[in-house]
Amino acid sequence: MTVNDKPVIVQRDGSILLEVGGPRYEEARDTLARFAELVKSPEYVHTYRLSPLSLWNAAASGLSAAAVKEGLSAYSRYPVPDNIMRDIDDYLARYGKLKLVRQGEGLVLISEDPLLITEIANSKGLGRHLDGWAGPNRLRVAPGHRGYLKQALIKLGWPVEDLAGYTPGAPLAVDLRTVTPGGAPFGLRSYQEEAVAAFWASGSERGGSGVIVLPCGAGKTVVGLGVMARARCHTLIVVTSTTAVHQWRDELLDKTTLRPDAIGEYTGDLKDVRPVTIATYQVLTWRPRKTDEFPHLAVFNARDWGLIIYDEVHLLPAPVFRITADLQARRRLGLTATLVREDGREEDVFTLVGPKRYDVPWKVLEKQGWIATAACTEIRLPLPQEKRLEYSLARDPHTRYRIAAENPAKLPLVRQLIARHPNEQVLVIGQYLDQLAALAAELKAPLITGQTSTAEREALYRAFREGRIKVLVVSRVANFSIDLPDASVAIQVSGTFGSRQEEAQRLGRILRPKAERNQAHFYTLTTRDTKDQEYAAKRQLFLTEQGYRYTILDASEMATGERSRQV
């Protein structure tokens, strides 16, 4: 590889420029994704940055400073600046410099650096989490402050390696089946086996807490079942919706040896605590008034749980973070397609649930056939004249976005796209209920929103899976944990502003592998030169990092199918 073939330029401020389209682009992109964060992705040059958290996650997954520096140097067109090399050494060295270990009946914070541990001991902000010296270079941790201490230390730039171990929890006999009750053979895929092994770490204190990052449709639930079969203990599973509760229950009964009477549901409809209990975030964070406590958080202490699984961990709400800080003695598994949080609380996931233990680039699994190949297309259309004045006069950015996102010209375009895929299962996804209701009426298609009862939702999802419904209009309630394996086309008409994780989740609705032609199409409709187009660019960042490229079309080009450019 000549110097000019190298697609990366590393700058002294920590930003990394990646030239798109060259022969080594994909290799360099997958290397950067292991330890850097994508910041923006215009057409020809993508910008990444090294952050402390991205490097600490890399360290926790076993990546060394030497490997990071080698990855940068291998693809960098020019020598990597010396200050960047030193920063990589310094930040990765910080992970593990402070360790939490068990000593007798309590916990101690230890370090081989006497000056660092002395600095920690004399830090005013940490006093309430510590309880004096426990020996040379050892500080006693105040009872119940394991999670809070880790939160406080990472804010000071010191990620703690937690080696204090876990309570085993109440035992439970659970194994994976080799044949499902329906007679189908079953076994973990190779990457699922690797994910389980990376989390479990042979049952040692070096594993047992952390996050598995896999694309939507790649079987994160099955990874959870694999971990349960290793842990063999009472397990609490927290999910996004009642529909997801039922899907987890179905998977447990289909792929493990658990009996129905061992599985409980804790939702707004039913509160049944069993050895394996599946609860929703919504019921756990319910309270009668804003000034009241959260009564259902008591389920976290209702049994001797040995494992807590957080499905879609990137959505973990603040009250659950708080209770998780008190649950550091329990094994904790987070499952997600993306570590991106729109509220910026990635550090809390790192400290309270655990660091990233395993991930696979989406495009790798696509090439192996485990998820569908997806073609992403952004179609831009003008705002009708009668709406332009309303848009211009609106002062609030969110109001402007809604006017542009609800562009009535999107409706005939949706119809045109559906006509292009006459024999496929189509999801029309959006944010605004009035817009979705108009689309459902025009398309004569069922509509699912947050107001749709669980029973009706599941009946419609079942009819869609069975092919009795070809087009389904859905709000953001369908963003997460919905199993629609035959959906192959998604048309996004509006979204939650610039949410990167929502874009990833919506693409994920159509990525489950298909029985025949393993191809999916993801369309996003945006109003040109408005907040709608601006937010769309932000939404696409995470998927761009994963190797997806959006073909940009003008609505007028749809008749001919001419493609203008890719980003």
Side-chain angles (χ1 to χ4, degrees):
M1 178 167 52
T2 67
V3 169
N4 288 335
D5 288 335
K6 295 185 175 184
V8 168
I9 297 174
V10 184
Q11 303 188 107
R12 296 188 66 83
D13 64 356
S15 59
I16 302 170
L17 306 180
L18 173 62
E19 188 175 23
V20 176
R24 309 304 296 272
Y25 160 68
E26 290 188 2
E27 298 171 34
R29 179 201 66 212
D30 291 347
T31 297
L32 291 177
R34 300 179 68 192
F35 52 77
E37 300 171 354
L38 184 65
V39 177
K40 55 185 178 181
S41 56
E43 188 169 356
Y44 299 114
V45 178
H46 294 174
T47 302
Y48 290 76
R49 70 181 175 94
L50 291 171
S51 73
L53 189 60
S54 70
L55 291 171
W56 294 333
N57 267 313
S61 67
L63 208 61
S64 67
V68 173
K69 292 190 292 184
E70 182 181 334
L72 280 180
S73 298
Y75 297 100
S76 182
R77 188 170 301 170
Y78 308 108
V80 178
D82 183 64
N83 69 302
I84 299 299
M85 293 297 214
R86 292 181 183 276
D87 283 348
I88 292 169
D89 285 330
D90 290 347
Y91 280 120
L92 267 78
R94 287 188 175 216
Y95 183 76
K97 208 162 188 177
L98 291 171
K99 292 181 173 66
L100 268 176
V101 298
R102 189 164 294 279
Q103 180 173 297
E105 295 298 313
L107 303 181
V108 293
L109 182 71
I110 66 173
S111 177
E112 294 181 0
D113 184 340
L115 294 179
L116 173 60
I117 201 74
T118 301
E119 177 186 338
I120 299 298
N122 289 283
S123 174
K124 291 182 179 179
L126 299 175
R128 61 196 178 98
H129 306 306
L130 299 170
D131 195 20
W133 292 97
N137 297 344
R138 289 173 174 257
L139 289 169
R140 191 175 294 107
V141 179
H145 282 249
R146 180 174 176 177
Y148 301 106
L149 176 62
K150 291 192 293 183
Q151 273 186 301
L153 283 168
I154 201 170
K155 286 177 169 55
L156 296 176
W158 294 104
V160 176
E161 186 176 9
D162 190 339
L163 303 175
Y166 312 96
T167 179
L172 177 67
V174 53
D175 294 294
L176 296 177
R177 297 179 185 270
T178 56
V179 179
T180 69
F186 171 70
L188 297 184
R189 300 166 184 167
S190 58
Y191 64 88
Q192 293 170 332
E193 289 273 18
E194 291 170 2
V196 171
F199 173 83
W200 188 245
S202 301
S204 75
E205 67 279 356
R206 292 191 176 277
S209 64
V211 179
I212 303 298
V213 184
L214 288 174
C216 301
K220 293 186 291 294
T221 300
V222 173
V223 172
L225 306 188
V227 170
M228 289 176 64
R230 295 284 187 98
R232 297 176 66 82
C233 61
H234 285 210
T235 300
L236 175 64
I237 305 167
V238 194
V239 301
T240 56
S241 66
T242 301
T243 299
V245 169
H246 297 163
Q247 289 179 177
W248 267 87
R249 181 184 175 87
D250 291 346
E251 287 288 272
L252 286 163
L253 294 175
D254 188 57
K255 295 177 173 63
T256 76
T257 55
L258 287 173
R259 296 172 56 86
D261 59 5
I263 305 171
E265 174 183 324
Y266 200 94
T267 66
D269 301 323
L270 182 64
K271 294 170 181 62
D272 182 21
V273 179
R274 299 291 180 97
V276 174
T277 298
I278 315 168
T280 64
Y281 290 120
Q282 184 177 11
V283 74
L284 294 178
T285 56
W286 176 88
R287 53 182 170 176
R289 292 179 298 273
K290 287 186 177 181
T291 55
D292 291 346
E293 296 295 320
F294 298 95
H296 298 298
L297 289 180
V299 74
F300 281 99
N301 297 308
R303 281 182 180 254
D304 184 15
W305 308 115
L307 174 66
I308 300 174
I309 299 176
Y310 302 92
D311 197 15
E312 310 290 4
V313 71
H314 60 281
L315 297 177
L316 206 66
V320 180
F321 268 129
R322 288 196 291 273
I323 192 69
T324 300
D326 295 323
L327 297 169
Q328 298 299 294
R330 314 286 178 180
R331 284 187 167 90
R332 305 170 307 283
L333 170 64
L335 299 172
T336 185
T338 167
L339 284 172
V340 170
R341 283 185 66 97
E342 305 304 334
D343 62 3
R345 296 191 67 172
E346 289 90 348
E347 284 187 354
D348 284 336
V349 174
F350 181 94
T351 54
L352 298 181
V353 178
K356 180 174 67 175
R357 296 294 183 186
Y358 185 85
D359 72 344
V360 181
W362 293 36
K363 284 292 183 177
V364 169
L365 295 188
E366 179 187 288
K367 287 177 180 177
Q368 295 174 356
W370 295 120
I371 60 176
T373 299
C376 300
T377 306
E378 179 186 340
I379 304 174
R380 296 174 181 171
L381 63 164
L383 191 63
Q385 194 64 36
E386 64 271 18
K387 289 286 184 179
R388 288 181 64 84
L389 179 61
E390 182 183 357
Y391 180 86
S392 299
L393 293 175
R395 296 183 177 181
D396 178 60
H398 288 181
T399 302
R400 283 190 163 198
Y401 170 67
R402 180 163 188 169
I403 293 168
E406 291 186 303
N407 185 345
K410 291 183 180 182
L411 196 152
L413 190 52
V414 170
R415 183 182 289 281
Q416 188 178 349
L417 289 170
I418 292 173
R420 283 192 165 201
H421 302 275
N423 299 315
E424 299 186 57
Q425 304 283 100
V426 181
L427 293 174
V428 180
I429 311 176
Q431 165 81 359
Y432 298 111
L433 299 187
D434 290 344
Q435 180 187 36
L436 295 176
L439 280 164
E442 181 69 21
L443 299 172
K444 296 181 172 55
L447 170 64
I448 295 178
T449 71
Q451 299 169 354
T452 309
S453 70
T454 299
E456 186 180 353
R457 285 186 210 183
E458 295 189 355
L460 289 172
Y461 289 142
R462 184 163 52 251
F464 187 84
R465 282 192 289 268
E466 293 170 356
R468 292 182 284 115
I469 293 174
K470 288 293 186 183
V471 179
L472 196 57
V473 181
V474 293
S475 72
R476 62 183 180 181
V477 298
N479 285 356
F480 309 106
S481 305
I482 303 301
D483 184 14
L484 301 172
D486 292 326
S488 58
V489 179
I491 304 171
Q492 178 178 233
V493 294
S494 54
T496 309
F497 310 113
S499 173
R500 297 159 292 170
Q501 53 94 349
E502 183 177 73
E503 188 91 349
Q505 293 291 340
R506 287 182 171 180
L507 174 63
R509 297 309 101 214
I510 57 173
L511 286 187
R512 295 190 185 279
K514 318 302 176 195
E516 297 178 1
R517 183 168 171 262
N518 202 22
Q519 176 69 54
H521 294 272
F522 182 68
Y523 297 98
T524 184
L525 311 187
T526 62
T527 301
R528 185 183 296 280
D529 300 327
T530 66
K531 285 289 182 183
D532 194 15
Q533 182 179 331
E534 178 185 326
Y535 284 137
K538 294 179 180 178
R539 294 168 64 86
Q540 293 165 12
L541 273 176
F542 175 77
L543 291 178
T544 301
E545 181 180 16
Q546 292 298 324
Y548 290 93
R549 301 183 69 181
Y550 283 74
T551 297
I552 306 298
L553 291 176
D554 188 88
S556 62
E557 298 171 315
M558 288 298 296
T560 62
E562 179 186 350
R563 300 200 166 193
S564 54
R565 63 189 179 92
Q566 288 190 325
V567 297

